[in-house]
Amino acid sequence: ILRPYQKDGVRWLLYLYHNNFGGCLADDMGLGKTIQAIAFVECRYLQEKQPLRVLVVVPKTLIENWKAEFNRFGKGISVFIYHGANRESSLEGFERTGGVLLTTYNTLLNDIEILIALSFHCMFIDEAQYIKNYRAKTYGAAKKIKARSKFILSGTPFENNISELWALMDLINPGCLGNRTAFI
């Protein structure tokens, strides 16, 4: 059962998605960003007329945790891990049935040409502070992904300087803060 603030978070994600915006869930560790993302996917899964296609990018250390959480709370949603030596078979299954494609930052970067050939309903980037540098190759790869909405999850979306805020906002809602130079 979601807590009231988690329900608000899911409603907010749904609102953003319905209006073709991206968004950021930013709160302290342990307050349920993952469960809010899964609840959002579950809501969309129940509402879509076609198979849902979601990309979730996480640090390598969290990939099994996300799969376990989807298995626990996202009943009926197919989850594929696109990482490691046999990732092509996961991609084939995902393309057949839709669902959730879990991958890592490094796999996103290494296989960007494969992933940009796909279209997603939405993309979640967990621990988004890892790609806050707009000059980084992984940031550039994440920008190239075709998704109706992009969402970032982070306990610390803004740590060091104002350009981090611009970069993350430009990733999820391109152009909303203008160009970088003008914003700074």
Side-chain angles (χ1 to χ4, degrees):
I1 298 173
L2 295 176
R3 294 184 172 102
Y5 72 89
Q6 292 170 327
K7 290 178 184 176
D8 290 342
V10 174
R11 280 191 289 272
W12 182 67
L13 291 173
L14 289 166
Y15 169 81
L16 292 172
Y17 180 81
H18 287 299
N19 289 288
N20 297 311
F21 290 113
C24 174
L25 279 180
D27 64 24
D28 291 333
M29 188 171 89
L31 294 180
K33 293 182 291 290
T34 304
I35 192 65
Q36 290 174 69
I38 292 170
F40 164 86
V41 172
E42 183 75 19
C43 286
R44 293 304 314 144
Y45 177 74
L46 296 172
Q47 294 173 352
E48 287 290 330
K49 305 275 190 260
Q50 59 191 11
L52 188 65
R53 299 168 64 87
V54 177
L55 178 64
V56 179
V57 182
V58 301
K60 182 181 176 184
T61 57
L62 296 179
I63 201 161
E64 291 297 333
N65 181 63
W66 269 85
K67 182 163 176 57
E69 294 293 297
F70 263 108
N71 289 340
R72 184 173 173 200
F73 299 114
K75 303 285 190 228
I77 298 174
S78 300
V79 179
F80 301 91
I81 293 182
Y82 184 68
H83 176 73
N86 298 321
R87 61 184 176 259
E88 292 79 18
S89 63
S90 294
L91 192 59
E92 291 169 8
F94 175 77
E95 288 181 311
R96 259 193 326 276
T97 66
V100 174
L101 190 65
L102 282 170
T103 195
T104 65
Y105 286 110
N106 285 339
T107 305
L108 171 70
L109 180 58
N110 292 336
D111 289 8
I112 189 60
E113 295 306 319
I114 294 168
L115 293 170
I116 61 173
L118 304 172
S119 291
F120 299 95
H121 290 95
C122 63
M123 173 182 180
F124 280 92
I125 301 171
D126 194 15
E127 302 297 339
Q129 68 273 14
Y130 288 119
I131 61 165
K132 62 189 175 197
N133 181 352
Y134 72 96
R135 293 183 185 121
K137 290 180 181 179
T138 309
Y139 177 89
K143 278 204 60 112
K144 291 178 183 178
I145 295 295
K146 290 178 247 153
R148 175 178 167 172
S149 292
K150 293 180 181 179
F151 300 108
I152 56 175
L153 311 176
S154 177
T156 54
F158 177 66
E159 290 180 304
N160 299 315
N161 62 58
I162 197 82
S163 67
E164 295 171 2
L165 174 64
W166 176 86
L168 291 173
M169 287 303 296
D170 199 60
L171 175 65
I172 58 177
N173 291 307
C176 74
L177 297 180
N179 71 48
R180 184 183 167 280
T181 304
F183 179 76
I184 298 301

